[in-house]
Amino acid sequence: MEHVEKIIDEKIQGKALVTENKKENTKKLFIESYGCQMNMNDSEIVAAILDKQGYNTTQVLEEADLVLVNTCSIREKAETTVRKRLQKYNAVKQVNKKMKVGVLGCMAERLKEKFLEEEKIVDLVVGPDAYKDLPNLLEEVNEGRDAVNVILSKEETYGDIAPVRLNSNGVSAFVSITRGCDNMCTFCVVPFTRGRERSRDPKSILEEIRQMVAKNYKEITLLGQNVDSFLWYGGGLKKDFNKASEMAQATAVDFAQLLDMCATEFPKTRFRFSTSNPQDMSLDVIHTMAKHKNICKYIHLPVQSGSNAMLKAMNRQHTREEYMELVDNIFKIIPEMALSQDMIVGFCGETEQDHKDTLELMEYVKYDFGFMFAYSERPGTLAGKKMEDDVPSDIKKRRLTEVIDLQQKHALYRTQKHLGKTEEVLIEGTSKKNPNQWKGRNTQNTVIVFPKEHYKLGDFVNVKVEDCTSATLIGTAVGYSDNN
């Protein structure tokens, strides 16, 4: 999830978190999340903290003692949705006088004054590093005071809180390894809402994975705004590494080593990671992926634009040529690697030639998947303050359509390469279109559907690919894989 904090999965936006209820808990918490997977993960951490304060989760807004909305500042749409939700909570508050409402996450950091003072719609505002402070903040609120903590921390990684993960498919889990980001891309608000980059202790990461594996999770995704810059040298900010002692520097653990530790200790568990940043990706990571069968051959490698002028304006720390060289090296080491992109179309000052450069870069890489957006100004970013959003919206729309159409073409080109092959698939759930079919993903992260037969959720199955669309492979299981 590099910069534009990725993968905003539309299906899970605003879903109320459900966890196992404890008999002794007397209060009810309603928590819903918007935005990226890091936010969904954070909501699970919040539920774990409040569970100890006597809160069970509920899906019935009207009966809640505490309503929390975990917010996102990436896209305007998320912000508008959250405002609408807050109005809805306030209507319920008129009826249920004891209900308290709080805003968590990235928007909290940015709009604290608005929420508390101007609009008086919330009792509590908690930034992404202050969740441990929730018990104290709730005490304040119960005594009738507004409570705010949006202080961004240098240390907080929530390494010692095991998130409560119950509303997932029970097969794949997410584990956060870093928080914050140091790359000041001009279109992105993350460094301002989530703070500077710090990594979590590898011991606590491995311990959390052990717990997940003991609960029978089969696939773990390591999460961070920028996983490649993971660097543990005893704690502290990434940017302070050069001030650490020689011993600390010599025994530091980087991302390639962390991946190696995970894959080695849990050979039957599949590993994925997200998001990567081209400027921080070392080929050591690719060599580690090549060495272990259980590290999936898929990298989300955002580029944002194929034009050097745009990359510079976005303050991306790589050129088009460096990115292409990285892609060449990746394919050299792992020819079957799948890559996906983030693309921002119509950034400040983008010319027709810049746009052509993007299409050419896409032709060069032929991404398996993509996440494509027309640029829209976000308050609080450098571009928002200093650059003119000067590409007319009809031109943005046309360019975006061209980028999306080309991505569709490449996606089909990539899925067709799987035809006739037999590939290992982890069963993650029932196909949305057909209740008699399982769906899962191959190592390249492509979705495969096939008849259920006698196979079960969480099985690793070899599937022969017989047909495909640009998004999905269709096949038949030929037996269990040797990974069960």
Side-chain angles (χ1 to χ4, degrees), residues 27 55 98 100 135 137-145:
K27 291 174 285 191
Y55 285 89
K98 67 180 195 327
K100 300 293 180 206
L137 295 170
L138 285 169
E139 243 169 72
E140 291 281 311
V141 167
N142 292 333
E143 286 166 23
R145 292 189 289 274

Side-chain angles (χ1 to χ4, degrees), residues 18-25 27-28 51 55-58 63 166:
V18 188
T19 58
E20 230 165 319
N21 283 344
K22 289 192 185 158
K23 283 198 186 66
E24 65 274 21
N25 284 357
K27 291 174 285 191
K28 293 196 161 75
D51 171 58
Y55 285 89
N56 277 335
T57 54
T58 174
E63 65 175 32
L166 290 161

Side-chain angles (χ1 to χ4, degrees), residues 259-279:
L259 258 185
D260 192 54
M261 287 155 77
C262 293
T264 305
E265 184 175 339
F266 309 99
K268 294 283 189 198
T269 305
R270 250 191 192 185
F271 286 94
R272 298 186 183 276
F273 54 87
S274 182
T275 285
S276 296
N277 199 355
Q279 75 198 45

Side-chain angles (χ1 to χ4, degrees), residues 255-476:
F255 184 56
Q257 290 162 303
L258 178 72
L259 258 185
D260 192 54
M261 287 155 77
C262 293
T264 305
E265 184 175 339
F266 309 99
K268 294 283 189 198
T269 305
R270 250 191 192 185
F271 286 94
R272 298 186 183 276
F273 54 87
S274 182
T275 285
S276 296
N277 199 355
Q279 75 198 45
D280 296 310
M281 163 124 341
S282 88
L283 293 181
D284 293 353
V285 170
I286 314 299
H287 286 296
T288 303
M289 293 173 83
K291 180 174 125 186
H292 295 278
K293 180 176 164 284
N294 58 330
I295 303 177
C296 292
K297 306 304 180 259
Y298 163 61
I299 302 174
H300 180 56
L301 196 64
V303 66
Q304 311 299 1
S305 171
S307 144
N308 278 336
M310 288 299 97
L311 291 169
K312 198 169 175 206
M314 292 172 172
N315 196 30
R316 302 288 288 169
Q317 308 292 315
H318 59 83
T319 61
R320 160 196 183 87
E321 291 73 23
E322 286 164 338
Y323 185 90
M324 285 156 90
E325 187 189 346
L326 175 61
V327 167
D328 289 344
N329 284 324
I330 291 173
F331 285 137
K332 229 176 265 158
I333 300 166
I334 303 180
E336 73 277 20
M337 185 73 85
L339 296 177
S340 59
Q341 44 86 342
D342 285 341
M343 218 54 96
I344 293 175
V345 174
F347 190 63
C348 311
E350 186 182 67
T351 65
E352 210 47 47
Q353 185 54 52
D354 294 325
H355 171 59
K356 282 205 179 71
D357 287 351
T358 293
L359 297 173
E360 266 171 36
L361 178 84
M362 289 174 71
E363 281 289 5
Y364 186 83
V365 181
K366 296 190 172 59
Y367 294 98
D368 293 67
F369 326 98
F371 303 90
M372 297 141 296
F373 306 95
Y375 175 66
S376 69
E377 205 168 83
R378 306 306 294 124
T381 59
L382 288 159
K385 288 179 199 153
K386 304 227 165 99
M387 297 179 183
E388 197 188 340
D389 181 4
D390 55 2
V391 178
S393 78
D394 55 332
I395 293 183
K396 279 184 189 169
K397 278 202 187 94
R398 172 185 57 81
R399 288 178 188 169
L400 182 59
T401 306
E402 288 175 13
V403 166
I404 290 172
D405 290 349
L406 186 57
Q407 181 52 50
Q408 287 292 93
K409 188 182 116 183
H410 292 157
L412 183 61
Y413 164 82
R414 290 293 182 189
T415 51
Q416 285 170 341
K417 293 244 185 246
H418 296 272
L419 293 174
K421 293 185 179 161
T422 298
E423 303 184 332
E424 184 184 75
V425 177
L426 169 60
I427 300 179
E428 293 173 28
T430 298
S431 154
K432 283 196 284 291
K433 293 192 177 141
N434 182 344
N436 303 315
Q437 289 192 325
W438 286 123
K439 72 163 178 177
R441 285 172 296 160
N442 62 9
T443 182
Q444 283 87 2
N445 206 34
T446 314
V447 172
I448 303 194
V449 295
F450 57 95
K452 282 191 169 172
E453 299 176 53
H454 55 285
Y455 301 104
K456 299 188 304 299
L457 191 70
D459 283 347
F460 283 98
V461 183
N462 288 325
V463 176
K464 187 168 180 6
V465 182
E466 290 143 349
D467 197 2
C468 70
T469 66
S470 65
T472 312
L473 302 174
I474 300 148
T476 310

